[in-house]
Amino acid sequence: MYKLLFLLVVAGLPQAHAQTVHSPSNKLTLNFRLSAAGEPTYQLQYGTKTVVKPSRLGVLLQGQPSLDAGFTIAQIDSSRHDDTWQPVWGEVKSIRNHYQELAVTLTQAASQGRRLVLRFRLYDDGLGFRYEFPEQPGLTYFTVQNERTEFNLPADHQAFWIPGDYDSNEYTYSTTRLSAVNSANIEAIQLKSAPQRVQTPLMLKSDDGLYVNIHEAALVNYPAMMLNVNPQTFGLSSQLVPDAVGNKAYLQTPEHTPWRTIVVSDKAADVLASKLILNLNEPTKLTETSWIKPQKFVGVWWEMHVNKASWNYSDASNIKLAGTDWNALKPNGHHGANTANVKRYIDFAAKYGLQSVLVEGWNVGWEDWFGNWKEEVFDFVTPYPDFAVAELQQYAAAKGVKLMMHHETSSSVTNYERRQDEAYRFMKAHDYESVKTGYVGRIIPRGEHHDGQWMVNHYNRTAQKTAESRLMVDMHEAVRPTGLHRTYPNWLASEAARGNEFNAWSSGNPPEHETILPFTRLMGGPMDYTPGIFQIKLEDWNPERNKGKQVHTTLAKQLALYVTMYSPLQMAADLPEAYEKHLDAFRFIQDVPVDWDDTRILLAEPGDYITTARKAKGKDEWYLGSITDENARPQTVKLDFLTPGQLYEAIIYADAKGASWDKNPMAYQIRKQKVTSKSVLKLQLAAGGGAAVSFKPENR
Amino acid sequence: MYKLLFLLVVAGLPQAHAQTVHSPSNKLTLNFRLSAAGEPTYQLQYGTKTVVKPSRLGVLLQGQPSLDAGFTIAQIDSSRHDDTWQPVWGEVKSIRNHYQELAVTLTQAASQGRRLVLRFRLYDDGLGFRYEFPEQPGLTYFTVQNERTEFNLPADHQAFWIPGDYDSNEYTYSTTRLSAVNSANIEAIQLKSAPQRVQTPLMLKSDDGLYVNIHEAALVNYPAMMLNVNPQTFGLSSQLVPDAVGNKAYLQTPEHTPWRTIVVSDKAADVLASKLILNLNEPTKLTETSWIKPQKFVGVWWEMHVNKASWNYSDASNIKLAGTDWNALKPNGHHGANTANVKRYIDFAAKYGLQSVLVEGWNVGWEDWFGNWKEEVFDFVTPYPDFAVAELQQYAAAKGVKLMMHHETSSSVTNYERRQDEAYRFMKAHDYESVKTGYVGRIIPRGEHHDGQWMVNHYNRTAQKTAESRLMVDMHEAVRPTGLHRTYPNWLASEAARGNEFNAWSSGNPPEHETILPFTRLMGGPMDYTPGIFQIKLEDWNPERNKGKQVHTTLAKQLALYVTMYSPLQMAADLPEAYEKHLDAFRFIQDVPVDWDDTRILLAEPGDYITTARKAKGKDEWYLGSITDENARPQTVKLDFLTPGQLYEAIIYADAKGASWDKNPMAYQIRKQKVTSKSVLKLQLAAGGGAAVSFKPENR
């Protein structure tokens, strides 16, 4: 690592009003400027192209003068930073953190000389900046009323957006010009939205060929940032998620906001390859991480989604957690999490080398868990009468498989927090190593939102608490990630977007969905998307209740998702009996790693297609995934990422001729081929299709 | 116990619209009636006098038809109940529960035949009634928007009231006609009040000689009820405390509201003697209660109030719970909870036979605990560097004294709930048997109120959790009690009103204050008022900061409070050095019990005077307290409560000649006198004064 420091103390010098810095390779230029009224602004250029026009910065406080004007520059610190670090797990083995930093210390003469620091980090692939509130006499405790961060875009870009719901990010993406952003007619899950409010990561594409992604990094002790779109000016302005009384954040100096991030390139692939958000997060404090295990798992889960089984043990409709005699309930006869069924999954995982088995619906409370804004729903330690904790613990141990815990909170977070310690002790006592948490429904404390400061603190505290107990965690219905898996590598994944499950009980995810997610949701971190559905048409499971329901991809595309959507935690989401029918295709799920030495984004266009190749951790094996939207498309892939001179056997899992997501989704073909780094692979992706390829070195 | 059941099934009979029942001795008459529109109403008579004119009943639901009209009577159950039970501790050894019950089952034909039960219990000293929501197809989960319980009073009674603040009950009482109730000009602590809203217990006195007290019993899973006063009609209507989003209660059938209570008599003393509220609470589920110990205690407490010491260890003003090196803080030199000082209190308690020593300010976080709406303030397990937990544990044990734990939450209740289990384990590990909790400041979850359903559940859960750990609890700044100490006898006391402490740092409590509290706050249960201040003028402790501050009673009245204000937990609130100067008077505090076989309210008039005699538990010793307001007054007390034929030595702790609360408050005289049940005691109470008397049998 080297660090060059240019310190320019301007006090005493003629008053400075502006500062320009360049990214390490001069790709990007940042201009900071103070207006005549002392308002901080910034501007970002990509070569000669404008990424962000002059845009205001500032923070509005409650009951105190705001920190957005009346400033003078007290000090400017400029420095260069370049080092390389190794993630505990990830898409690449090591990550270079190379940026030009500009830290501008501002003072407000009219308000006790209060100080605010604007810290910019300019990378070749984008910009991060944040507000820092130093400890100072005039500012100790303060309440953020709003943030006036602007991203004034130069033109009416194409945008890939979801509505600015404070409580859910489980939407399909709309692709429109900025001027046409309007969520008024979108069927909302828990929408508290203004029609021009959208969520981040927001993916944008300009007519002059720029790909721009706006998000945030290291969301800690602060609400999530959403963006208000001005359809006339194409200006975006930050909208922080409010708490129960309308405030945004309660802070105490010294403190800082998350980083606001802008990733930019003229190549879409560079956006996917960017490590800017991870770089802006704090390194982990964990020194011993051998207990953190990227892994694949099956689970008693999809069979509930396809109406073959239920989470609930009985069909009683009025249950109180305290005082119910669970043994006296009449079983409904199709409870998924029963001991025999779980053993079946354990057997399957053991037989095919998957590490874990998730079991949902194991614990009491599912009879009326949803929709009642009820506080005492689950206790996280009491199994249903037909789920034998100790017996399954022994059975799984004998088979070398781990059970994965499930903590659905029904968003009664106060209840969960009261019981978390005991729940984790229960997990440790029964050999569980990981937990999937869930936050379905309206938050308790009532009036709080999934994406507000209080819940952000809950998710982060949960990541920390699980780490203290050496437990891995996967959060569903949480705020979307911001790279905190660098700091908490036991936080393997989150859902925080519209997952594969929506195909089971809604209009589904359109075929383009998975070509957008890596450009949006996955910018912040791994998603537990639950790929690997083989039985595409769901009527086969339950003709009556699944009428017309299907997954909106081909089977081959389901395989490709294991590569195109990175996660250290990948579910093989379908039922064992679905896989047993297609063991040749399942072979790819068995083989594909969840941790990588290297990643190459070979072809990418948001909303259209993605082709990604990755090198297995510590092995000269490569895996490739290629997906398309609703359009069939040929993809020509140069294999120049392979080790030169090495012969590989490629196993190609492809859409069969005549395959398509809607008409013939399960038609796949598997072929083997010898290849080298000089080979070119021609893939023919069906409509809504994809291809998955493994490359293993051949001994000669 | 005997129980007579009169069951009248009216279905099929000519439609019943009204029902009248009488209290066991016919003192009270209740009339229930359904209006033409099917609205339930009730009316209450005391002999020929009207207590409550016809008044509506009902509950308004959110998003569902309300339960206040359109009813027909489906069933009327009438029964007589008479039994006697023994409290774990209290003012009397056994309590008779004797009432006439009327349960009216109503149905709403227009709304799926939904059922509501109105249950009335008519005692000779008052009425209790509640709403019951049976389990039924048409009603499972529901949200209470409001309750339309009315108490339509027949005339413009005198009322003893405090403002209807959702977050504090620490007010002096206003004594006005109902028509003059107006809190607009009252200096509020955390007022969210409409000017005509008042709190319960509301004490009323009619011009025709009735004393009426309106409150509630068994406040469980429901917000506190406040009352809106109509100054024209003298109608009172219930106002439930809202949650963060404006709802009142989230309920699930089967469920019921707390009891609404009306205690009534033509003698003020009967109101004080009423056990109606206790009777309406559930018996305790605890079978082993030997660990529950009524007790007296001293504490490192008043010295902070009189500015001799501080809760905080340092004068730092910006502290973060996580990451602060407490040992590195600069001590301010006057931290009260230091080991040497605590030992001084332990020595004092041991020497004079007091059971416990409370220590406030022992744990880190006091530097900036107040006023910042901050979540992470205290952790309840980390002592300040100068408080030696293990050393003090040993020291106290050697002296036979218990330390009392202090958990100030600063109303960050989410933080407390996360840490409660660990905090109680810490207590058990260090031999603490009781905890004083505190809820100063604005509640977190933000938007919730001290008296709302969520906090009510917290207090009750805390009573239960402490009971599970065999810990006693004393809650400050909690909702006012409603007799739940019958159910949770480990919940020894609450503050929940304006305590003695206000004399230290405000305009103080007027001399009448303690003559009103038993008629209001204490109707629901014991108060930790912290009597026993001997050093009445507070300038002596800190001339500069306590300028003009004093306790607004005489010293003798401070002694009398140990009898007039019942609590199983009584503090000797002053400093050891204050007591050492007046050990002759302190003798009464040493002697006075905190648990009783019998109680006689001898003289009482709210706002004017109270004289109470109590018989010590299991002993033929009696103690008498007599207090007056700002007026000096003679009180003549017949001692006919003493055992006939037994000679007693009475020690009379009285105001000395010339004593008065403002001019000469510490002038007392102690005299001994032989008395029998035929004696008459003449007490001369000074302005703001009182007298305390102990009666011990003489061996002849």
Side-chain angles (χ1 to χ4, degrees):
Chain A
M1 196 223 283
Y2 76 93
K3 194 162 182 165
L4 289 176
L5 185 70
F6 307 92
L7 180 61
L8 170 62
V9 180
V10 297
L13 296 179
Q15 185 66 52
H17 288 297
Q19 185 77 11
T20 298
V21 289
H22 303 282
S23 69
S25 306
N26 287 315
K27 280 189 172 177
L28 286 168
T29 303
L30 168 74
N31 183 267
F32 172 82
R33 181 176 295 275
L34 220 47
S35 75
E39 301 155 342
T41 66
Y42 76 105
Q43 180 175 1
L44 184 65
Q45 295 283 129
Y46 181 88
T48 58
K49 294 175 181 170
T50 297
V51 182
V52 178
K53 295 194 300 179
S55 296
R56 286 192 62 178
L57 298 168
V59 180
L60 311 188
L61 308 185
Q62 201 193 53
Q64 294 190 50
S66 285
L67 293 163
D68 69 336
F71 283 114
T72 54
I73 294 177
Q75 184 171 316
I76 291 178
D77 300 323
S78 183
S79 64
R80 181 68 63 87
H81 183 100
D82 189 4
D83 74 327
T84 298
W85 58 279
Q86 283 70 44
V88 174
W89 44 259
E91 298 178 85
V92 293
K93 188 166 57 180
S94 72
I95 294 172
R96 185 177 181 188
N97 188 21
H98 191 197
Y99 59 84
Q100 177 67 35
E101 180 166 294
L102 175 70
V104 183
T105 302
L106 302 171
T107 56
Q108 272 181 324
S111 299
Q112 308 170 265
R114 286 187 313 175
R115 279 175 299 131
L116 175 71
V117 176
L118 295 172
R119 188 174 304 274
F120 300 89
R121 289 188 179 166
L122 192 60
Y123 293 79
D124 281 323
D125 61 350
L127 170 68
F129 62 87
R130 71 180 186 188
Y131 302 92
E132 298 181 355
F133 312 96
E135 193 165 8
Q136 52 189 300
L139 194 67
T140 305
Y141 294 96
F142 59 106
T143 301
V144 175
Q145 198 177 64
N146 232 324
E147 196 185 296
R148 64 174 308 150
T149 306
E150 294 175 350
F151 306 87
N152 292 325
L153 302 174
D156 193 10
H157 297 345
Q158 198 79 0
F160 301 83
W161 58 271
I162 58 174
D165 188 335
Y166 296 151
D167 281 296
S168 178
N169 30 44
E170 302 195 1
Y171 291 94
T172 58
Y173 289 88
S174 296
T175 307
T176 72
R177 295 278 172 179
L178 283 169
S179 57
V181 166
N182 188 341
S183 62
N185 295 320
I186 291 178
E187 190 197 339
I189 300 169
Q190 293 169 321
L191 192 59
K192 311 258 180 184
S193 182
Q196 268 81 40
R197 191 169 71 217
V198 300
Q199 296 194 42
T200 74
L202 176 66
M203 188 64 208
L204 300 159
K205 185 181 172 182
S206 74
D207 289 345
D208 63 351
L210 282 190
Y211 295 87
V212 178
N213 183 282
I214 299 177
H215 189 36
E216 61 183 319
L219 175 57
V220 174
N221 195 28
Y222 207 75
M225 178 182 71
M226 307 212 164
L227 295 171
N228 293 313
V229 178
N230 184 323
Q232 278 85 45
T233 65
F234 324 128
L236 312 178
S237 56
S238 62
Q239 170 67 49
L240 303 176
V241 175
D243 78 347
V245 299
N247 291 330
K248 306 309 187 307
Y250 303 86
L251 301 181
Q252 177 183 0
T253 58
E255 187 53 283
H256 53 75
T257 68
W259 296 95
R260 280 64 189 92
T261 61
I262 306 166
V263 173
V264 56
S265 177
D266 54 9
K267 290 185 220 39
D270 290 350
V271 172
L272 298 185
S274 173
K275 295 290 167 283
L276 183 146
I277 287 172
L278 266 183
N279 273 325
L280 289 171
N281 273 270
E282 293 297 312
T284 182
K285 292 198 181 89
L286 296 177
T287 48
E288 212 292 283
T289 57
S290 63
W291 53 276
I292 299 173
K293 298 166 189 160
Q295 61 188 283
K296 287 171 285 187
F297 67 107
V298 288
V300 179
W301 180 75
W302 187 248
E303 58 179 292
M304 279 85 95
H305 285 286
V306 298
N307 297 306
K308 256 184 75 74
S310 66
W311 279 271
N312 43 306
Y313 166 77
S314 82
D315 289 339
S317 63
N318 186 10
I319 291 289
K320 294 189 182 184
L321 183 61
T324 296
D325 178 0
W326 305 98
N327 288 301
L329 287 183
K330 189 182 157 211
N332 63 17
H334 51 86
H335 177 226
N338 67 77
T339 304
N341 195 37
V342 174
K343 284 184 178 174
R344 200 167 66 92
Y345 279 82
I346 292 172
D347 291 343
F348 181 83
K351 186 169 176 187
Y352 297 106
L354 305 181
Q355 286 75 21
S356 303
V357 175
L358 166 74
V359 188
E360 297 203 357
W362 71 277
N363 60 324
V364 299
W366 287 92
E367 275 70 16
D368 54 358
W369 70 288
F370 178 71
N372 303 310
W373 225 3
K374 174 177 166 179
E375 191 158 8
E376 303 261 309
V377 179
F378 297 110
D379 72 1
F380 313 100
V381 294
T382 306
Y384 274 125
D386 60 347
F387 182 85
V389 174
E391 182 183 340
L392 285 168
Q393 177 181 4
Q394 284 162 17
Y395 192 85
K399 297 264 179 174
V401 167
K402 289 288 173 186
L403 289 172
M404 187 182 293
M405 177 51 77
H406 185 230
H407 289 166
E408 173 55 51
T409 66
S410 72
S411 287
S412 176
V413 184
T414 47
N415 177 57
Y416 186 44
E417 290 195 340
R418 279 175 212 127
R419 300 172 189 270
Q420 255 175 314
D421 286 338
E422 193 191 349
Y424 298 157
R425 282 196 296 271
F426 179 91
M427 282 178 61
K428 298 299 279 188
H430 295 288
D431 260 3
Y432 288 78
E433 289 181 342
S434 55
V435 55
K436 171 182 171 180
T437 62
Y439 300 91
V440 173
R442 282 191 288 179
I443 298 290
I444 302 177
R446 296 187 182 92
E448 295 290 344
H449 295 296
H450 281 74
D451 292 358
Q453 183 192 27
W454 197 88
M455 282 302 296
V456 162
N457 287 346
H458 168 78
Y459 307 128
N460 294 353
R461 194 185 304 113
T462 295
Q464 199 160 345
K465 277 182 94 74
T466 47
E468 285 161 8
S469 297
R470 298 199 164 198
L471 297 171
M472 292 168 274
V473 63
D474 169 25
M475 300 189 199
H476 280 233
E477 299 88 23
V479 71
R480 74 284 185 281
T482 57
L484 283 165
H485 52 293
R486 178 179 179 188
T487 311
Y488 303 112
N490 65 309
W491 190 350
L492 295 184
S494 294
E495 184 186 42
R498 189 174 169 107
N500 221 355
E501 65 187 17
F502 271 77
N503 284 307
W505 33 258
S506 76
S507 56
N509 300 339
E512 68 170 12
H513 191 58
E514 297 92 348
T515 70
I516 301 174
L517 280 171
F519 286 97
T520 51
R521 161 65 183 77
L522 272 74
M523 291 298 293
M527 176 171 178
D528 183 15
Y529 186 72
T530 70
I533 301 302
F534 278 16
Q535 182 56 52
I536 301 291
K537 302 277 189 179
L538 305 179
E539 290 186 24
D540 291 27
W541 297 118
N542 187 329
E544 221 171 293
R545 296 183 59 190
N546 301 345
K547 203 160 175 55
K549 292 284 181 292
Q550 74 157 100
V551 175
H552 293 62
T553 72
T554 64
L555 188 151
K557 183 173 172 180
Q558 288 290 312
L559 296 179
L561 297 177
Y562 287 88
V563 183
T564 59
M565 298 182 70
Y566 172 66
S567 177
L569 183 74
Q570 290 281 27
M571 188 171 199
D574 214 333
L575 279 60
E577 53 266 48
Y579 292 135
E580 300 274 11
K581 285 187 197 156
H582 303 281
L583 286 174
D584 56 348
F586 187 70
R587 168 75 188 278
F588 185 79
I589 298 179
Q590 289 178 263
D591 285 355
V592 68
V594 281
D595 195 11
W596 309 96
D597 270 349
D598 202 1
T599 285
R600 308 288 170 87
I601 313 295
L602 304 175
L603 304 160
E605 185 62 31
D608 294 341
Y609 57 83
I610 295 175
T611 299
T612 301
R614 305 190 197 265
K615 179 177 173 296
K617 194 94 158 199
K619 278 196 275 191
D620 189 20
E621 287 181 11
W622 286 79
Y623 293 79
L624 180 145
S626 183
I627 60 170
T628 180
D629 60 1
E630 68 281 4
N631 300 308
R633 96 175 67 225
Q635 296 287 48
T636 302
V637 184
K638 286 191 204 166
L639 303 184
D640 52 7
F641 50 84
L642 295 174
T643 307
Q646 173 68 50
L647 183 69
Y648 295 83
E649 181 184 61
I651 307 179
I652 302 157
Y653 304 77
D655 296 319
K657 206 158 184 175
S660 71
W661 70 270
D662 50 350
K663 303 260 164 41
N664 191 16
M666 289 170 67
Y668 63 90
Q669 56 176 5
I670 301 172
R671 65 177 203 271
K672 295 184 180 176
Q673 194 176 323
K674 308 290 179 197
V675 298
T676 69
S677 66
K678 295 190 174 136
S679 309
V680 173
L681 206 60
K682 285 185 188 294
L683 301 169
Q684 183 58 47
L685 311 182
V693 188
S694 64
F695 302 91
K696 296 190 188 180
E698 290 275 290
N699 295 326
R700 284 197 258 206
Chain B
M1 196 222 285
Y2 76 93
K3 193 162 182 166
L4 290 177
L5 184 69
F6 306 94
L7 179 61
L8 172 63
V9 180
V10 296
L13 296 180
Q15 185 66 53
H17 288 297
Q19 186 76 11
T20 299
V21 289
H22 302 282
S23 70
S25 306
N26 288 315
K27 279 190 171 177
L28 285 167
T29 303
L30 169 73
N31 183 267
F32 173 80
R33 182 176 293 274
L34 218 46
S35 77
E39 302 156 341
T41 66
Y42 76 105
Q43 180 175 2
L44 184 66
Q45 295 283 129
Y46 181 88
T48 57
K49 293 176 182 171
T50 297
V51 182
V52 178
K53 294 195 300 179
S55 297
R56 286 192 62 178
L57 298 169
V59 179
L60 310 188
L61 308 186
Q62 200 193 54
Q64 295 189 50
S66 284
L67 293 164
D68 68 337
F71 283 114
T72 54
I73 293 176
Q75 185 172 316
I76 291 179
D77 300 322
S78 182
S79 65
R80 180 69 61 88
H81 184 100
D82 189 4
D83 73 328
T84 297
W85 58 279
Q86 283 71 44
V88 175
W89 44 258
E91 297 178 85
V92 293
K93 188 165 58 177
S94 72
I95 295 172
R96 185 177 180 188
N97 188 20
H98 190 196
Y99 60 84
Q100 177 67 36
E101 180 166 293
L102 176 69
V104 183
T105 301
L106 302 171
T107 56
Q108 272 180 323
S111 300
Q112 308 169 265
R114 287 188 312 175
R115 279 175 299 131
L116 175 71
V117 176
L118 294 172
R119 189 174 303 276
F120 300 89
R121 289 187 179 167
L122 192 60
Y123 293 80
D124 281 323
D125 61 350
L127 170 68
F129 63 88
R130 71 182 185 187
Y131 303 91
E132 298 181 354
F133 311 96
E135 192 164 9
Q136 52 189 301
L139 195 66
T140 306
Y141 294 97
F142 59 105
T143 301
V144 175
Q145 198 178 63
N146 232 324
E147 196 186 296
R148 63 173 311 152
T149 306
E150 294 175 351
F151 305 86
N152 292 325
L153 302 173
D156 192 10
H157 297 343
Q158 198 79 357
F160 300 83
W161 58 271
I162 58 174
D165 188 334
Y166 297 151
D167 281 295
S168 179
N169 30 45
E170 303 194 0
Y171 291 93
T172 58
Y173 289 88
S174 296
T175 307
T176 71
R177 295 279 172 177
L178 284 169
S179 57
V181 166
N182 187 343
S183 62
N185 295 321
I186 292 178
E187 190 197 340
I189 300 167
Q190 293 168 323
L191 192 58
K192 311 257 181 183
S193 182
Q196 269 80 39
R197 192 169 70 218
V198 300
Q199 296 193 43
T200 75
L202 176 66
M203 187 65 208
L204 300 158
K205 184 180 173 183
S206 75
D207 288 347
D208 62 352
L210 283 191
Y211 295 86
V212 179
N213 184 282
I214 300 177
H215 189 36
E216 60 183 319
L219 175 58
V220 174
N221 195 28
Y222 207 75
M225 177 181 72
M226 307 211 164
L227 296 171
N228 293 314
V229 179
N230 184 324
Q232 278 84 46
T233 65
F234 323 128
L236 312 179
S237 55
S238 62
Q239 170 67 50
L240 303 176
V241 175
D243 79 346
V245 299
N247 291 331
K248 305 311 187 307
Y250 303 85
L251 302 181
Q252 177 183 0
T253 58
E255 188 52 285
H256 54 75
T257 68
W259 297 95
R260 279 65 189 91
T261 61
I262 306 166
V263 173
V264 56
S265 176
D266 54 8
K267 290 186 219 41
D270 290 349
V271 172
L272 297 185
S274 173
K275 295 290 169 282
L276 183 145
I277 287 171
L278 267 183
N279 274 326
L280 289 171
N281 274 271
E282 293 298 312
T284 182
K285 293 198 181 88
L286 296 177
T287 48
E288 212 292 282
T289 57
S290 63
W291 52 276
I292 298 173
K293 298 167 189 160
Q295 62 188 283
K296 288 171 283 186
F297 67 107
V298 288
V300 179
W301 180 76
W302 187 247
E303 59 180 292
M304 279 83 96
H305 286 285
V306 298
N307 297 305
K308 257 184 75 75
S310 67
W311 279 270
N312 44 304
Y313 166 78
S314 82
D315 289 338
S317 63
N318 186 10
I319 291 289
K320 295 189 183 186
L321 183 61
T324 296
D325 177 1
W326 305 98
N327 287 301
L329 287 182
K330 188 182 157 211
N332 63 17
H334 51 87
H335 176 225
N338 67 76
T339 302
N341 195 36
V342 174
K343 283 184 179 173
R344 201 167 65 91
Y345 279 82
I346 293 172
D347 291 343
F348 180 84
K351 185 168 178 188
Y352 297 106
L354 305 180
Q355 286 74 22
S356 304
V357 175
L358 166 74
V359 187
E360 296 203 359
W362 70 278
N363 61 323
V364 300
W366 287 93
E367 275 69 17
D368 54 358
W369 70 287
F370 178 72
N372 302 311
W373 224 4
K374 175 178 167 178
E375 191 158 10
E376 304 259 309
V377 179
F378 297 110
D379 71 3
F380 313 101
V381 294
T382 306
Y384 275 125
D386 60 348
F387 183 84
V389 173
E391 182 182 340
L392 285 168
Q393 177 181 3
Q394 285 161 17
Y395 192 85
K399 295 264 180 173
V401 167
K402 289 288 173 185
L403 288 171
M404 187 182 294
M405 177 50 78
H406 184 230
H407 288 167
E408 172 56 51
T409 66
S410 73
S411 287
S412 176
V413 183
T414 47
N415 177 58
Y416 186 44
E417 290 195 340
R418 279 175 212 127
R419 300 173 190 270
Q420 254 175 314
D421 287 337
E422 193 191 347
Y424 298 157
R425 283 196 295 272
F426 180 91
M427 282 179 60
K428 297 300 279 189
H430 295 288
D431 262 3
Y432 288 78
E433 288 182 344
S434 56
V435 55
K436 172 181 172 181
T437 61
Y439 299 92
V440 173
R442 283 191 288 180
I443 297 290
I444 301 177
R446 297 187 181 93
E448 295 290 344
H449 295 295
H450 282 73
D451 291 358
Q453 182 192 27
W454 197 89
M455 281 302 295
V456 163
N457 288 347
H458 168 79
Y459 306 129
N460 294 352
R461 194 186 302 113
T462 295
Q464 199 161 347
K465 276 181 94 75
T466 47
E468 284 160 11
S469 297
R470 298 197 165 200
L471 296 170
M472 293 168 273
V473 63
D474 169 25
M475 301 190 199
H476 280 234
E477 299 88 22
V479 70
R480 74 284 185 279
T482 57
L484 283 166
H485 52 294
R486 178 178 180 189
T487 310
Y488 302 113
N490 65 309
W491 190 350
L492 296 184
S494 293
E495 183 186 42
R498 189 173 167 108
N500 221 355
E501 65 186 17
F502 271 77
N503 284 308
W505 31 259
S506 76
S507 56
N509 300 339
E512 68 170 12
H513 191 58
E514 296 91 349
T515 70
I516 301 174
L517 280 171
F519 286 97
T520 50
R521 163 63 183 78
L522 271 73
M523 290 298 291
M527 177 172 178
D528 183 17
Y529 186 72
T530 69
I533 300 302
F534 278 17
Q535 181 57 52
I536 300 291
K537 302 275 191 182
L538 306 180
E539 289 185 26
D540 291 26
W541 297 118
N542 187 328
E544 220 170 295
R545 295 183 59 190
N546 301 344
K547 203 161 174 56
K549 292 282 180 293
Q550 73 156 99
V551 175
H552 293 61
T553 74
T554 64
L555 187 151
K557 183 173 173 182
Q558 288 290 312
L559 296 179
L561 296 177
Y562 286 88
V563 183
T564 59
M565 298 182 71
Y566 172 66
S567 177
L569 183 74
Q570 290 280 29
M571 190 171 198
D574 214 334
L575 279 61
E577 52 266 49
Y579 290 135
E580 299 274 10
K581 286 187 197 156
H582 304 281
L583 285 174
D584 55 350
F586 187 69
R587 167 76 188 277
F588 183 80
I589 297 179
Q590 290 178 263
D591 285 354
V592 67
V594 281
D595 195 10
W596 308 97
D597 271 348
D598 202 3
T599 285
R600 309 286 171 88
I601 312 296
L602 304 175
L603 303 161
E605 185 62 31
D608 293 343
Y609 56 83
I610 295 176
T611 300
T612 301
R614 305 190 197 265
K615 179 175 172 297
K617 194 96 160 194
K619 277 195 277 191
D620 189 22
E621 287 181 11
W622 287 78
Y623 292 80
L624 181 145
S626 183
I627 61 170
T628 180
D629 59 1
E630 69 281 5
N631 299 308
R633 88 176 73 224
Q635 295 287 48
T636 303
V637 184
K638 286 191 204 164
L639 303 184
D640 52 8
F641 50 83
L642 296 174
T643 306
Q646 173 68 50
L647 184 67
Y648 295 83
E649 181 185 62
I651 308 180
I652 300 157
Y653 305 76
D655 295 320
K657 204 157 187 177
S660 70
W661 70 271
D662 51 349
K663 304 262 167 36
N664 191 16
M666 290 170 66
Y668 62 91
Q669 56 175 4
I670 300 173
R671 65 178 204 272
K672 294 185 180 176
Q673 193 175 325
K674 307 291 179 198
V675 298
T676 70
S677 65
K678 297 194 172 131
S679 309
V680 171
L681 208 60
K682 286 186 187 296
L683 301 170
Q684 183 59 48
L685 312 182
V693 188
S694 63
F695 301 90
K696 296 190 188 179
E698 290 275 292
N699 294 326
R700 284 196 255 206

